[in-house]
Amino acid sequence: QVQLVESGGGLVQAGGSLRLSCAASGRTFSGYTMGWFRRAPGKEREFVAAIRWSNGYVYYVDSVKGRFTISRDNTKNTVYLQMNSLKPEDTAVYYCAADRSGSYNFGRSSVYDYWGQGTQVTVSS
């Protein structure tokens, strides 16, 4: 049983930073693609960033490039999303997701097989 547990969300002022964590368990994730998505109030779920566990290839949505960094820790089976220079428009519930096929279809939520429960990020102006 794959489990993804996010943590690290909270309230921060614009320009601040947060680091989200996604602790993965239940499988060996070496062949997976791990992604972060977010859903803002009244909006559809949006892709944010992804990483292929095997080779560390990363991909970002344009709106977070240069501000967010996705990474993984193999020893802890954990994926991180370091978020810097946060803006009010980054306010959303952030979800971790896992694609067992390890595909490069990073932005398509339908390819992800497992999802976490989400963690709230609120950026005040």
Side-chain angles (χ1 to χ4, degrees), residues 2-6 22-25 27-37 49-51 53 77 79 95-103 105-106 108-116:
V2 172
Q3 281 196 317
L4 305 175
V5 180
E6 303 99 332
C22 172
S25 62
R27 290 286 161 83
T28 300
F29 292 89
S30 57
Y32 280 52
T33 291
M34 305 297 292
W36 285 98
F37 287 76
I51 185 168
W53 207 294
N77 255 15
V79 176
Y95 299 90
C96 176
D99 165 21
R100 61 190 173 189
S101 73
S103 74
N105 294 315
F106 301 119
R108 294 175 56 188
S109 60
S110 59
V111 306
Y112 291 85
D113 304 287
Y114 307 101
W115 293 82

Short mmCIF file of all heavy atoms in Angstrom, two decimals, residues 2-6 22-25 27-37 49-51 53 77 79 95-103 105-106 108-116:
data_model
loop_
_atom_site.label_atom_id
_atom_site.label_comp_id
_atom_site.label_asym_id
_atom_site.label_seq_id
_atom_site.Cartn_x
_atom_site.Cartn_y
_atom_site.Cartn_z
N VAL A 2 0.82 2.00 -1.09
CA VAL A 2 1.61 3.22 -1.19
C VAL A 2 0.94 4.32 -0.37
O VAL A 2 -0.27 4.52 -0.45
CB VAL A 2 1.74 3.66 -2.65
CG1 VAL A 2 2.39 5.04 -2.74
CG2 VAL A 2 2.54 2.64 -3.44
N GLN A 3 1.75 4.99 0.40
CA GLN A 3 1.26 6.16 1.15
C GLN A 3 2.16 7.35 0.88
O GLN A 3 3.39 7.22 0.88
CB GLN A 3 1.23 5.85 2.65
CG GLN A 3 0.04 5.02 3.08
CD GLN A 3 -0.17 5.06 4.59
OE1 GLN A 3 0.79 4.95 5.34
NE2 GLN A 3 -1.40 5.19 5.02
N LEU A 4 1.54 8.48 0.69
CA LEU A 4 2.25 9.74 0.52
C LEU A 4 1.73 10.70 1.58
O LEU A 4 0.53 10.96 1.64
CB LEU A 4 2.02 10.32 -0.88
CG LEU A 4 2.35 9.41 -2.06
CD1 LEU A 4 1.95 10.09 -3.37
CD2 LEU A 4 3.82 9.08 -2.10
N VAL A 5 2.63 11.22 2.38
CA VAL A 5 2.22 12.11 3.46
C VAL A 5 2.98 13.42 3.32
O VAL A 5 4.20 13.46 3.45
CB VAL A 5 2.50 11.47 4.84
CG1 VAL A 5 2.08 12.43 5.94
CG2 VAL A 5 1.77 10.15 4.97
N GLU A 6 2.23 14.49 3.07
CA GLU A 6 2.83 15.82 2.93
C GLU A 6 2.89 16.51 4.27
O GLU A 6 2.07 16.28 5.16
CB GLU A 6 2.02 16.70 1.96
CG GLU A 6 1.82 16.15 0.57
CD GLU A 6 0.48 15.51 0.40
OE1 GLU A 6 -0.08 15.02 1.40
OE2 GLU A 6 -0.04 15.47 -0.74
N CYS A 22 7.31 15.34 1.25
CA CYS A 22 6.39 14.26 0.91
C CYS A 22 7.10 12.95 1.27
O CYS A 22 8.02 12.52 0.57
CB CYS A 22 6.05 14.29 -0.57
SG CYS A 22 5.10 12.86 -1.14
N ALA A 23 6.66 12.34 2.35
CA ALA A 23 7.23 11.07 2.79
C ALA A 23 6.48 9.94 2.11
O ALA A 23 5.27 9.79 2.27
CB ALA A 23 7.13 10.95 4.30
N ALA A 24 7.22 9.14 1.34
CA ALA A 24 6.62 8.05 0.57
C ALA A 24 6.94 6.72 1.22
O ALA A 24 8.08 6.49 1.65
CB ALA A 24 7.14 8.08 -0.86
N SER A 25 5.97 5.83 1.27
CA SER A 25 6.20 4.51 1.86
C SER A 25 5.36 3.47 1.13
O SER A 25 4.43 3.80 0.39
CB SER A 25 5.83 4.52 3.34
OG SER A 25 4.46 4.82 3.52
N ARG A 27 6.51 1.13 -1.09
CA ARG A 27 7.12 0.62 -2.31
C ARG A 27 8.56 1.09 -2.41
O ARG A 27 9.00 1.94 -1.63
CB ARG A 27 6.37 1.16 -3.54
CG ARG A 27 5.01 0.65 -3.76
CD ARG A 27 5.01 -0.79 -4.27
NE ARG A 27 3.72 -1.40 -4.05
CZ ARG A 27 2.69 -1.27 -4.87
NH1 ARG A 27 2.83 -0.57 -5.98
NH2 ARG A 27 1.55 -1.83 -4.59
N THR A 28 9.24 0.54 -3.39
CA THR A 28 10.51 1.10 -3.83
C THR A 28 10.20 2.09 -4.94
O THR A 28 9.58 1.73 -5.94
CB THR A 28 11.45 0.01 -4.34
OG1 THR A 28 11.71 -0.93 -3.30
CG2 THR A 28 12.76 0.61 -4.82
N PHE A 29 10.62 3.32 -4.76
CA PHE A 29 10.20 4.37 -5.66
C PHE A 29 11.23 4.72 -6.73
O PHE A 29 11.10 5.71 -7.43
CB PHE A 29 9.83 5.62 -4.85
CG PHE A 29 8.59 5.44 -4.02
CD1 PHE A 29 8.68 4.94 -2.73
CD2 PHE A 29 7.35 5.72 -4.53
CE1 PHE A 29 7.53 4.75 -1.96
CE2 PHE A 29 6.20 5.54 -3.79
CZ PHE A 29 6.30 5.05 -2.50
N SER A 30 12.24 3.88 -6.86
CA SER A 30 13.34 4.21 -7.76
C SER A 30 12.89 4.41 -9.21
O SER A 30 13.52 5.12 -9.97
CB SER A 30 14.42 3.14 -7.69
OG SER A 30 13.86 1.88 -8.00
N GLY A 31 11.80 3.76 -9.61
CA GLY A 31 11.34 3.89 -10.99
C GLY A 31 10.20 4.87 -11.16
O GLY A 31 9.64 5.01 -12.26
N TYR A 32 9.86 5.58 -10.14
CA TYR A 32 8.70 6.47 -10.15
C TYR A 32 9.06 7.88 -10.61
O TYR A 32 10.21 8.32 -10.52
CB TYR A 32 8.09 6.57 -8.76
CG TYR A 32 7.21 5.43 -8.34
CD1 TYR A 32 7.63 4.11 -8.42
CD2 TYR A 32 5.93 5.68 -7.84
CE1 TYR A 32 6.81 3.07 -8.03
CE2 TYR A 32 5.11 4.64 -7.43
CZ TYR A 32 5.55 3.35 -7.53
OH TYR A 32 4.74 2.31 -7.14
N THR A 33 8.03 8.58 -11.05
CA THR A 33 8.06 10.04 -11.17
C THR A 33 7.22 10.59 -10.03
O THR A 33 6.10 10.12 -9.79
CB THR A 33 7.48 10.51 -12.52
OG1 THR A 33 8.38 10.14 -13.57
CG2 THR A 33 7.30 12.02 -12.53
N MET A 34 7.77 11.57 -9.34
CA MET A 34 7.06 12.20 -8.22
C MET A 34 6.72 13.63 -8.60
O MET A 34 7.57 14.36 -9.14
CB MET A 34 7.94 12.19 -6.97
CG MET A 34 8.43 10.81 -6.57
SD MET A 34 7.11 9.67 -6.12
CE MET A 34 6.53 10.45 -4.59
N GLY A 35 5.51 14.02 -8.32
CA GLY A 35 5.08 15.36 -8.70
C GLY A 35 4.45 16.12 -7.56
O GLY A 35 4.00 15.53 -6.57
N TRP A 36 4.46 17.43 -7.71
CA TRP A 36 3.72 18.33 -6.82
C TRP A 36 2.67 19.07 -7.65
O TRP A 36 2.99 19.60 -8.72
CB TRP A 36 4.65 19.34 -6.16
CG TRP A 36 5.49 18.79 -5.06
CD1 TRP A 36 6.79 18.39 -5.15
CD2 TRP A 36 5.10 18.61 -3.69
NE1 TRP A 36 7.23 17.95 -3.93
CE2 TRP A 36 6.22 18.08 -3.01
CE3 TRP A 36 3.94 18.84 -2.97
CZ2 TRP A 36 6.20 17.77 -1.64
CZ3 TRP A 36 3.91 18.53 -1.62
CH2 TRP A 36 5.03 18.00 -0.97
N PHE A 37 1.47 19.09 -7.14
CA PHE A 37 0.37 19.83 -7.74
C PHE A 37 -0.20 20.76 -6.68
O PHE A 37 0.08 20.61 -5.48
CB PHE A 37 -0.74 18.87 -8.22
CG PHE A 37 -0.38 18.09 -9.44
CD1 PHE A 37 0.50 17.01 -9.38
CD2 PHE A 37 -0.91 18.41 -10.67
CE1 PHE A 37 0.83 16.29 -10.50
CE2 PHE A 37 -0.60 17.69 -11.81
CZ PHE A 37 0.27 16.63 -11.72
N ALA A 49 5.59 20.96 -10.12
CA ALA A 49 6.95 20.47 -10.35
C ALA A 49 6.95 18.95 -10.29
O ALA A 49 6.07 18.35 -9.68
CB ALA A 49 7.91 21.04 -9.32
N ALA A 50 7.96 18.35 -10.90
CA ALA A 50 8.09 16.89 -10.85
C ALA A 50 9.56 16.50 -10.94
O ALA A 50 10.40 17.27 -11.43
CB ALA A 50 7.31 16.24 -11.99
N ILE A 51 9.84 15.29 -10.46
CA ILE A 51 11.19 14.75 -10.52
C ILE A 51 11.11 13.26 -10.80
O ILE A 51 10.26 12.56 -10.25
CB ILE A 51 11.94 15.04 -9.19
CG1 ILE A 51 13.39 14.60 -9.27
CG2 ILE A 51 11.23 14.38 -8.00
CD1 ILE A 51 14.25 15.12 -8.11
N TRP A 53 12.61 9.84 -10.11
CA TRP A 53 13.43 9.38 -9.00
C TRP A 53 14.73 8.74 -9.50
O TRP A 53 15.78 8.85 -8.86
CB TRP A 53 12.65 8.35 -8.17
CG TRP A 53 13.11 8.31 -6.75
CD1 TRP A 53 14.32 7.91 -6.29
CD2 TRP A 53 12.36 8.71 -5.60
NE1 TRP A 53 14.38 8.04 -4.93
CE2 TRP A 53 13.20 8.52 -4.48
CE3 TRP A 53 11.07 9.21 -5.41
CZ2 TRP A 53 12.78 8.81 -3.18
CZ3 TRP A 53 10.66 9.48 -4.12
CH2 TRP A 53 11.50 9.29 -3.03
N ASN A 77 13.37 8.28 1.45
CA ASN A 77 12.18 8.12 0.59
C ASN A 77 11.28 9.34 0.65
O ASN A 77 10.05 9.23 0.77
CB ASN A 77 11.38 6.88 1.02
CG ASN A 77 11.57 5.72 0.06
OD1 ASN A 77 12.48 5.73 -0.76
ND2 ASN A 77 10.70 4.74 0.17
N VAL A 79 10.44 13.35 -0.91
CA VAL A 79 10.57 14.36 -1.94
C VAL A 79 10.28 15.72 -1.30
O VAL A 79 9.36 15.83 -0.48
CB VAL A 79 9.59 14.09 -3.10
CG1 VAL A 79 9.64 15.20 -4.14
CG2 VAL A 79 9.91 12.75 -3.75
N TYR A 95 -0.34 19.18 -3.19
CA TYR A 95 -0.46 17.73 -3.16
C TYR A 95 0.78 17.08 -3.76
O TYR A 95 1.28 17.52 -4.80
CB TYR A 95 -1.68 17.27 -3.95
CG TYR A 95 -3.00 17.78 -3.44
CD1 TYR A 95 -3.52 18.97 -3.90
CD2 TYR A 95 -3.71 17.06 -2.50
CE1 TYR A 95 -4.74 19.45 -3.43
CE2 TYR A 95 -4.93 17.52 -2.02
CZ TYR A 95 -5.43 18.72 -2.50
OH TYR A 95 -6.63 19.18 -2.02
N CYS A 96 1.20 16.02 -3.13
CA CYS A 96 2.26 15.16 -3.66
C CYS A 96 1.60 14.01 -4.42
O CYS A 96 0.55 13.50 -4.00
CB CYS A 96 3.08 14.64 -2.50
SG CYS A 96 4.37 13.47 -2.95
N ALA A 97 2.22 13.59 -5.52
CA ALA A 97 1.67 12.50 -6.31
C ALA A 97 2.80 11.62 -6.84
O ALA A 97 3.92 12.09 -7.01
CB ALA A 97 0.86 13.07 -7.48
N ALA A 98 2.46 10.36 -7.09
CA ALA A 98 3.45 9.39 -7.57
C ALA A 98 2.95 8.67 -8.81
O ALA A 98 1.82 8.16 -8.84
CB ALA A 98 3.76 8.37 -6.47
N ASP A 99 3.80 8.64 -9.82
CA ASP A 99 3.52 7.96 -11.09
C ASP A 99 4.41 6.73 -11.18
O ASP A 99 5.63 6.88 -11.36
CB ASP A 99 3.76 8.94 -12.23
CG ASP A 99 3.86 8.26 -13.59
OD1 ASP A 99 3.37 7.12 -13.73
OD2 ASP A 99 4.43 8.88 -14.51
N ARG A 100 3.85 5.57 -11.06
CA ARG A 100 4.66 4.35 -11.00
C ARG A 100 5.32 4.00 -12.33
O ARG A 100 6.27 3.23 -12.36
CB ARG A 100 3.82 3.17 -10.52
CG ARG A 100 2.65 2.85 -11.41
CD ARG A 100 1.74 1.84 -10.74
NE ARG A 100 0.51 1.63 -11.51
CZ ARG A 100 -0.51 0.92 -11.05
NH1 ARG A 100 -0.46 0.36 -9.86
NH2 ARG A 100 -1.57 0.78 -11.80
N SER A 101 4.84 4.59 -13.44
CA SER A 101 5.45 4.30 -14.73
C SER A 101 6.73 5.10 -14.95
O SER A 101 7.50 4.79 -15.87
CB SER A 101 4.47 4.59 -15.86
OG SER A 101 4.32 5.99 -16.04
N GLY A 102 6.96 6.10 -14.13
CA GLY A 102 8.17 6.91 -14.29
C GLY A 102 8.19 7.71 -15.58
O GLY A 102 9.26 8.00 -16.12
N SER A 103 7.02 8.08 -16.05
CA SER A 103 6.95 8.75 -17.35
C SER A 103 7.45 10.18 -17.29
O SER A 103 7.70 10.74 -16.22
CB SER A 103 5.50 8.73 -17.84
OG SER A 103 4.73 9.67 -17.10
N ASN A 105 5.49 12.47 -18.63
CA ASN A 105 4.25 13.24 -18.77
C ASN A 105 3.95 13.97 -17.47
O ASN A 105 2.90 13.78 -16.85
CB ASN A 105 3.10 12.30 -19.13
CG ASN A 105 3.27 11.69 -20.49
OD1 ASN A 105 3.62 12.38 -21.45
ND2 ASN A 105 3.05 10.39 -20.60
N PHE A 106 4.87 14.83 -17.08
CA PHE A 106 4.85 15.40 -15.75
C PHE A 106 3.58 16.16 -15.43
O PHE A 106 3.08 16.10 -14.31
CB PHE A 106 6.04 16.36 -15.57
CG PHE A 106 7.37 15.70 -15.77
CD1 PHE A 106 8.22 16.14 -16.77
CD2 PHE A 106 7.77 14.65 -14.97
CE1 PHE A 106 9.46 15.54 -16.95
CE2 PHE A 106 9.00 14.06 -15.14
CZ PHE A 106 9.85 14.50 -16.13
N ARG A 108 0.49 15.98 -16.53
CA ARG A 108 -0.82 15.33 -16.67
C ARG A 108 -1.19 14.62 -15.38
O ARG A 108 -0.63 13.58 -15.04
CB ARG A 108 -0.79 14.35 -17.83
CG ARG A 108 -0.61 15.01 -19.19
CD ARG A 108 -0.47 13.98 -20.29
NE ARG A 108 -1.61 13.07 -20.32
CZ ARG A 108 -1.67 11.99 -21.07
NH1 ARG A 108 -0.64 11.68 -21.86
NH2 ARG A 108 -2.73 11.22 -21.07
N SER A 109 -2.13 15.14 -14.66
CA SER A 109 -2.51 14.55 -13.37
C SER A 109 -3.03 13.12 -13.53
O SER A 109 -2.91 12.31 -12.62
CB SER A 109 -3.54 15.41 -12.67
OG SER A 109 -4.72 15.54 -13.44
N SER A 110 -3.56 12.79 -14.70
CA SER A 110 -4.16 11.47 -14.91
C SER A 110 -3.13 10.35 -14.90
O SER A 110 -3.48 9.18 -14.72
CB SER A 110 -4.93 11.44 -16.22
OG SER A 110 -4.09 11.73 -17.31
N VAL A 111 -1.84 10.67 -15.11
CA VAL A 111 -0.83 9.60 -15.12
C VAL A 111 -0.35 9.24 -13.73
O VAL A 111 0.33 8.24 -13.55
CB VAL A 111 0.39 9.99 -15.99
CG1 VAL A 111 -0.05 10.39 -17.39
CG2 VAL A 111 1.22 11.07 -15.34
N TYR A 112 -0.71 10.02 -12.75
CA TYR A 112 -0.27 9.76 -11.39
C TYR A 112 -1.23 8.78 -10.71
O TYR A 112 -2.45 8.93 -10.78
CB TYR A 112 -0.18 11.06 -10.59
CG TYR A 112 0.94 11.95 -11.08
CD1 TYR A 112 0.77 12.82 -12.14
CD2 TYR A 112 2.20 11.89 -10.49
CE1 TYR A 112 1.80 13.61 -12.61
CE2 TYR A 112 3.25 12.69 -10.94
CZ TYR A 112 3.03 13.55 -12.00
OH TYR A 112 4.06 14.33 -12.46
N ASP A 113 -0.63 7.78 -10.05
CA ASP A 113 -1.41 6.70 -9.48
C ASP A 113 -1.77 6.92 -8.02
O ASP A 113 -2.77 6.38 -7.53
CB ASP A 113 -0.62 5.39 -9.59
CG ASP A 113 -0.21 5.10 -11.02
OD1 ASP A 113 -1.11 4.72 -11.80
OD2 ASP A 113 0.98 5.25 -11.35
N TYR A 114 -0.94 7.65 -7.32
CA TYR A 114 -1.13 7.82 -5.88
C TYR A 114 -1.04 9.31 -5.53
O TYR A 114 -0.23 10.04 -6.11
CB TYR A 114 -0.07 7.03 -5.11
CG TYR A 114 0.01 5.58 -5.50
CD1 TYR A 114 1.01 5.13 -6.35
CD2 TYR A 114 -0.92 4.67 -5.02
CE1 TYR A 114 1.09 3.81 -6.74
CE2 TYR A 114 -0.85 3.33 -5.39
CZ TYR A 114 0.15 2.91 -6.25
OH TYR A 114 0.21 1.59 -6.61
N TRP A 115 -1.82 9.70 -4.53
CA TRP A 115 -1.88 11.09 -4.10
C TRP A 115 -1.86 11.17 -2.59
O TRP A 115 -2.39 10.31 -1.89
CB TRP A 115 -3.17 11.74 -4.62
CG TRP A 115 -3.21 11.88 -6.10
CD1 TRP A 115 -3.57 10.91 -7.01
CD2 TRP A 115 -2.86 13.03 -6.86
NE1 TRP A 115 -3.46 11.41 -8.28
CE2 TRP A 115 -3.03 12.70 -8.23
CE3 TRP A 115 -2.43 14.31 -6.53
CZ2 TRP A 115 -2.77 13.62 -9.25
CZ3 TRP A 115 -2.17 15.21 -7.55
CH2 TRP A 115 -2.35 14.87 -8.89
N GLY A 116 -1.24 12.24 -2.11
CA GLY A 116 -1.29 12.53 -0.69
C GLY A 116 -2.54 13.30 -0.33
O GLY A 116 -3.37 13.62 -1.20
#
